[in-house]
């Protein structure tokens, strides 16, 4: 089972926190889609023979800016060049793009899951982030999507905005729960140097929330969403039982996938491939029948550490038997003192040779993983 990720590097406007690769100049949209189709052909051997594509994910950027013709051409290229048995086709979208006509087009082209970038239901936060939609449009988008027959809906929320208390975040969670989406992705506000927020922080115009404030919001999120029946199956992702995102789950479970488009990443089980994050260079290279990518090979200990880092983020956890069978390493013996300390501190648990983080441990996921690295 494998997946394909398509990166659409265009947005209407730049959100102040975003450091993903995109351009607000969509004049080369048609040309970009043509090159994405061409890369799909150039890369069709990447995953090896007889790999069945089970998931397709349109991300970005803002893939909902694509027209029906664009989406149809990409879908047809995949079906012509790959063995497919698609069980999930996700498209990221912003609320302001979801008109009735657009939703009908998405349905027609085969999109069966929408990931809606709401971020907040508070108008002040949306304005601060330079989002293109209002809180009212966010709620309307959810209603329109449901009315159009989209049963698989995910919404993105963001926490960690500095404020005198947690009232905004508590209200965002309450509103989100009332909408009853089957999936909620929730990310902490992070400051990257090249973003508007990064520049404001450097100039002293913005001060991010402290770690304790953010930690409390993380715990509020766990409690509220857990009480509403959502399972935290990955650090930042919550879903109703049986409604996990298949494509994203495969990332964390080390299932091979192919990334297409500028800045897209791929993984074949032994190495990662990173496409150039530049639209002009990407288009120029693909026209010359060259995939503009950098290869990063990792084996042995590096591969094991990657497995630890990603698997500990999930409810499936780290399989100690799998590590011993594939790496001939007894992690329990190698890291006995550290594992005992993590368990006694209530951060980690070992059930049937599977290491998983407790709710408390999820706050420290990366540092716990790094303490287990070999």
């Amino acid at each position: 089972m494998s997946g394909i990720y398509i990166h659409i590097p265009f947005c209407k406007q730049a959100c102040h926190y975003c450091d993903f690769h995109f351009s607000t100049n969509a004049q080369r949209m048609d040309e970009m889609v043509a090159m994405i189709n061409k890369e799909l052909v150039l890369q069709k051997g990447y995953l090896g023979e007889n790999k069945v594509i089970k998931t397709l994910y349109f991300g970005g950027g803002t893939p909902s800016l694509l027209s029906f013709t664009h989406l149809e051409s990409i879908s047809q290229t995949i079906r012509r060049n790959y063995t497919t048995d698609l069980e999930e086709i996700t498209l990221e979208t912003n609320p302001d793009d979801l008109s009735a006509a657009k939703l009908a087009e998405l349905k027609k082209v085969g999109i069966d899951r929408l990931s809606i970038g709401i971020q907040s239901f508070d108008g002040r936060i949306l304005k601060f982030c330079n989002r293109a939609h209002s809180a009212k449009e966010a709620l309307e988008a959810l209603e329109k999507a449901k009315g159009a027959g989209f049963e698989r809906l995910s919404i993105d929320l963001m926490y960690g905005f500095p404020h005198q208390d947690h009232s905004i975040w508590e209200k965002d969670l309450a509103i989100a729960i009332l909408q009853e989406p089957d999936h909620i992705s929730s990310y902490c506000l992070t400051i990257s140097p090249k973003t508007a927020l990064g520049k404001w922080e450097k100039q002293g115009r913005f001060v991010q929330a402290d770690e304790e404030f953010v930690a409390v919001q993380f715990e509020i999120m766990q409690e509220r969403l857990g009480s509403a029946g959502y399972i935290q199956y990955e650090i930042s992702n919550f879903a109703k039982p049986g409604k996990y995102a298949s494509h994203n789950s495969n990332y964390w479970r080390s299932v091979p996938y192919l990334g297409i488009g500028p800045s897209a990443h791929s993984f074949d089980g032994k190495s990662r491939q990173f496409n150039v994050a530049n639209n002009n260079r990407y288009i120029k290279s693909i026209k010359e029948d060259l995939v503009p990518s950098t290869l990063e090979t990792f084996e042995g200990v590096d591969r094991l550490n990657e497995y630890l880092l990603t698997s500990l983020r999930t409810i499936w956890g780290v399989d100690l038997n799998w590590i011993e069978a594939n790496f001939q390493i007894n992690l329990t013996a190698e890291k006995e003192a550290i594992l005992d300390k993590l368990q006694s501190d209530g951060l980690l648990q070992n059930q049937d040779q599977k290491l998983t983080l407790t709710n408390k441990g999820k706050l420290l996921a990366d540092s716990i993983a790094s303490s287990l690295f070999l």
Side-chain angles (χ1 to χ4, degrees):
M1 180 173 71
S2 299
I4 294 178
Y5 170 82
I6 308 290
H7 188 81
I8 305 302
F10 300 106
C11 288
K12 290 178 183 176
Q13 60 193 51
C15 297
H16 288 159
Y17 55 81
C18 183
D19 70 343
F20 291 139
H21 171 65
F22 68 92
S23 170
T24 54
N25 181 355
Q27 290 183 354
R28 303 187 77 179
M29 178 79 83
D30 291 343
E31 191 176 18
M32 179 62 72
V33 170
M35 293 304 101
I36 283 172
N37 281 324
K38 186 172 181 179
E39 190 193 353
L40 280 164
V41 177
L42 292 172
Q43 295 262 52
K44 64 181 180 180
Y46 177 82
L47 294 171
E49 298 297 326
N50 304 317
K51 287 287 186 181
V52 179
I53 303 302
K54 289 281 192 177
T55 63
L56 174 59
Y57 193 104
F58 291 91
T62 311
S64 50
L65 295 178
L66 293 177
S67 68
F68 172 82
T69 302
H70 291 145
L71 288 166
E72 181 72 2
S73 70
I74 293 171
S75 298
Q76 288 178 354
T77 299
I78 290 170
R79 289 186 170 90
R80 283 196 302 266
N81 291 278
Y82 297 81
T83 302
T84 61
D85 183 17
L86 292 168
E87 60 186 31
E88 179 186 276
I89 307 177
T90 302
L91 181 129
E92 293 179 355
T93 179
N94 287 331
D96 44 300
D97 291 332
L98 293 182
S99 64
K102 186 67 177 186
L103 286 162
E105 287 182 354
L106 297 178
K107 265 288 187 183
K108 186 177 179 181
V109 83
I111 305 298
D112 58 18
R113 182 174 180 274
L114 296 179
S115 178
I116 306 176
I118 289 175
Q119 314 312 343
S120 176
F121 294 99
D122 188 278
R124 293 165 295 176
I125 297 293
L126 294 173
K127 185 177 180 180
F128 172 77
C129 291
N130 199 38
R131 297 292 289 168
H133 66 276
S134 66
K136 182 172 180 286
E137 285 175 313
L139 292 170
E140 289 174 347
L142 286 166
E143 285 304 310
K144 285 187 285 188
K146 293 173 188 175
F150 283 93
E151 297 179 359
R152 301 160 88 176
L153 292 175
S154 177
I155 65 174
D156 283 0
L157 295 177
M158 189 171 287
Y159 63 95
F161 293 97
H163 194 59
Q164 71 264 26
D165 56 30
H166 302 293
S167 58
I168 293 177
W169 180 228
E170 291 172 330
K171 186 177 179 181
D172 274 348
L173 287 169
I175 294 173
I177 290 167
L178 282 175
Q179 307 314 304
E180 299 185 316
D182 56 17
H183 191 281
I184 296 175
S185 295
S186 187
Y187 304 99
C188 180
L189 175 68
T190 56
I191 311 302
S192 299
K194 294 182 179 180
T195 64
L197 284 186
K199 294 173 184 174
W200 294 349
E201 185 178 51
K202 187 176 180 180
Q203 296 165 356
R205 297 169 55 196
F206 174 76
V207 178
Q208 59 184 308
D210 62 42
E211 289 184 2
E212 183 179 350
F213 181 90
V214 172
V216 170
Q217 295 209 335
F218 184 84
E219 291 167 344
I220 290 171
M221 171 180 69
Q222 289 179 311
E223 191 278 322
R224 301 293 166 84
L225 293 181
S227 296
Y230 289 89
I231 299 168
Q232 189 178 18
Y233 70 100
E234 192 272 340
I235 296 292
S236 301
N237 288 273
F238 298 76
K240 295 289 181 69
K243 301 296 184 180
Y244 306 156
S246 296
H247 186 88
N248 289 346
S249 294
N250 289 343
Y251 289 157
W252 304 309
R253 303 183 80 175
S254 300
V255 174
Y257 61 90
L258 172 62
I260 299 292
S263 81
H265 295 183
S266 303
F267 172 67
D268 67 0
K270 296 180 179 179
S271 65
R272 294 197 183 280
Q273 182 173 285
F274 307 87
N275 281 3
V276 66
N278 181 289
N279 288 2
N280 292 335
R281 287 170 59 192
Y282 172 82
I283 289 172
K284 182 178 184 295
S285 185
I286 297 295
K287 280 184 176 179
E288 296 170 355
D289 297 332
L290 298 172
V291 177
S293 61
T294 301
L295 188 68
E296 179 185 273
T297 301
F298 55 101
E299 295 181 356
V301 169
D302 289 339
R303 186 179 171 212
L304 172 56
N305 290 342
E306 171 90 1
Y307 170 74
L308 290 169
L309 183 66
T310 56
S311 298
L312 261 185
R313 295 180 62 88
T314 73
I315 60 168
W316 304 288
V318 169
D319 188 331
L320 295 171
N321 291 330
W322 185 88
I323 289 176
E324 190 152 9
N326 286 272
F327 297 96
Q328 292 73 56
I329 292 173
N330 184 330
L331 193 69
T332 305
E334 290 278 350
K335 297 285 184 176
E336 182 178 5
I338 293 173
L339 287 170
D340 286 347
K341 180 72 164 58
L342 290 170
Q343 290 179 79
S344 66
D345 288 346
L347 301 174
L348 191 71
Q349 53 198 6
N350 183 349
Q351 295 180 325
D352 300 323
Q353 289 295 91
K354 298 269 188 14
L355 299 179
T356 55
L357 297 173
T358 63
N359 273 357
K360 182 180 175 183
K362 289 171 185 174
L363 273 166
L364 304 167
D366 289 346
S367 63
I368 292 172
S370 65
S371 73
L372 298 176
F373 285 173
L374 295 173

